[in-house]
Amino acid sequence: MELLLNFLSYFAVGLGLLIVGIFLFEMTTKNKEFQLISQGNKAAAYALGGKIIGLSIVLYASIANSISLYDMVVWGAVAIIVQIVAFYIVEWMTPRFHITKAIDDDNQAVGLFLLFVSIALGLTIAGSLTY
């Protein structure tokens, strides 16, 4: 019974952190992916999907490597913040095209690029969470 309660508490808190992370991404980035997706914008769907996968990867690492629920929350929050900051660094490092405008214009190549970058960042951050 204790194992089930541990599973449920980690799952619930992890899911809550994922929702918070998605919300923070939506609030801090210039694109409003949910609105664009509702209009059929595939580039926004790729970009948002990558962010969700990247966040899930970092949260997985915080859950797998934590010593307590509190530890998982702290490192999960740190990982979410690092993922968002890293996204801005990537945007800054791609001056040849403006990411926000490209996603708004449904540039699917840029959307796929962001999907892959988000996964790569998630894996890199997750690897850094092993201690």
Side-chain angles (χ1 to χ4, degrees):
M1 187 59 144
E2 184 179 338
L3 289 176
L4 179 61
L5 290 176
N6 282 340
F7 163 77
L8 291 174
S9 54
Y10 274 87
F11 177 72
V13 172
L15 187 59
L17 283 171
L18 179 60
I19 291 167
V20 167
I22 294 166
F23 176 77
L24 289 175
F25 253 123
E26 185 72 8
M27 296 307 295
T28 59
T29 56
K30 296 172 189 161
N31 294 107
K32 300 304 173 208
E33 281 98 350
F34 286 105
Q35 179 183 351
L36 292 170
I37 291 168
S38 72
Q39 298 167 354
N41 186 313
K42 291 180 184 175
Y46 299 147
L48 180 62
K51 291 174 186 175
I52 292 169
I53 293 169
L55 287 171
S56 296
I57 291 168
V58 299
L59 290 172
Y60 163 79
S62 72
I63 292 167
N65 295 297
S66 66
I67 56 174
S68 69
L69 194 59
Y70 174 77
D71 186 53
M72 186 272 281
V73 169
V74 168
W75 287 109
V78 167
I80 289 168
I81 292 166
V82 171
Q83 184 89 355
I84 292 170
V85 170
F87 177 83
Y88 279 105
I89 292 170
V90 168
E91 186 169 28
W92 175 73
M93 292 177 62
T94 54
R96 292 187 185 264
F97 55 89
H98 192 269
I99 288 177
T100 301
K101 182 174 177 351
I103 296 299
D104 285 343
D105 293 342
D106 199 13
N107 184 327
Q108 293 181 37
V110 172
L112 282 171
F113 170 74
L114 289 177
L115 183 146
F116 297 135
V117 165
S118 293
I119 293 170
L121 289 172
L123 288 168
T124 303
I125 295 165
S128 303
L129 288 173
T130 58
Y131 42 89

